[in-house]
Amino acid sequence: MPTEPVPQEPVAVPAEPESRIAPTRRTFIATGTAVGTAVVAGGVLGTDLLAQPEAAAAPSAPSCRLTVTVNGTRHTVTVDNRASLLDLLREHLGLTGSKKGCDAGACGACTVLVDGHRQNACLTLAVRLEGAEVTTIEGLADSDQLHPLQQAFIDEDAFQCGYCTPGQIVSGVGCIQEGHTHSPEEIREWMSGNICRCGCYVKIVRAVQQAAGQK
């Protein structure tokens, strides 16, 4: 006679450790949405919400107080130690006549006079000019009376777009003061650091000659 099978008790299967349980679809979507919202909110507000501790710990840029005379007026300002003279003139003093062209000292659009000598303002650290006297294009005219070279540029029509003109004029003033105006060739040589993309070089040389009293 067949015997009935003896019922066996179910064997308990040990549960997987909680750390190994795969996230459900709902948990995954909720987590991704929360992270995405934080990133988007940071972008809209102009901050990175996930990197706030690092940003808060970033040290501020070193700066110092500087006293310099620009166009006859003495200024005392606090500037970043890495700031150029061009940035000081344009961003701190509002003197935007000196142009930022190449920002590498190759075009001469930012030429100014420092203690009477021509310098590229974009290559000159502002912090090195303590006590210096700087002359920009804004400081050449005497009230409503234009500087002779400014007037000569108008008379000779020595500009087109005008972007390089402030640097050309200041460099021309320095060229005249240095005595390098004995011939057109000499003027071209000593003005070679100032580039005119419109090609007004012939008229620029004539203007310098006129201001130097040789025309």
Side-chain angles (χ1 to χ4, degrees):
M1 246 185 105
T3 59
E4 294 185 1
V6 179
Q8 307 221 352
E9 299 202 2
V11 179
V13 179
E16 291 283 339
E18 184 176 352
S19 60
R20 296 177 56 189
I21 298 178
T24 64
R25 181 172 178 273
R26 178 175 300 176
T27 304
F28 177 80
I29 293 176
T31 303
T33 302
V35 174
T37 302
V39 173
V40 172
V44 171
L45 298 176
T47 58
D48 188 349
L49 298 181
L50 300 180
Q52 283 184 351
E54 291 82 356
S60 58
S63 61
C64 71
R65 288 181 66 78
L66 168 72
T67 299
V68 60
T69 301
V70 181
N71 299 330
T73 301
R74 188 176 180 181
H75 300 274
T76 299
V77 295
T78 300
V79 296
D80 189 315
N81 288 351
R82 301 162 297 179
S84 68
L85 171 58
L86 183 59
D87 291 332
L88 170 65
L89 294 173
R90 293 180 60 85
E91 299 177 13
H92 290 266
L93 304 182
L95 299 172
T96 56
S98 302
K99 303 304 181 186
K100 181 174 285 191
C102 65
D103 207 24
C107 71
C110 64
T111 304
V112 297
L113 299 178
V114 177
D115 294 331
H117 301 286
R118 292 180 283 178
Q119 274 188 231
N120 291 323
C122 71
L123 295 184
T124 304
L125 285 175
V127 294
R128 300 188 64 182
L129 299 180
E130 174 67 33
E133 293 191 10
V134 180
T135 303
T136 71
I137 187 67
E138 292 92 342
L140 292 181
D142 182 9
S143 187
D144 294 334
Q145 183 67 36
L146 294 177
H147 185 280
L149 187 53
Q150 290 176 306
Q151 186 61 54
F153 262 66
I154 296 174
D155 296 341
E156 295 292 342
D157 194 23
F159 51 87
Q160 188 167 324
C161 77
Y163 194 85
C164 75
T165 303
Q168 296 278 4
I169 293 177
V170 174
S171 184
V173 170
C175 187
I176 294 171
Q177 292 176 352
E178 295 159 12
H180 300 304
T181 58
H182 297 96
S183 67
E185 292 75 20
E186 185 177 22
I187 294 172
R188 284 194 292 267
E189 175 67 24
W190 288 90
M191 291 281 292
S192 60
N194 292 80
I195 295 175
C196 175
R197 297 188 182 278
C198 301
C200 297
Y201 296 111
V202 173
K203 296 179 179 180
I204 290 173
V205 170
R206 289 176 182 170
V208 174
Q209 284 182 298
Q210 175 180 319
Q214 295 191 14
K215 182 178 179 181

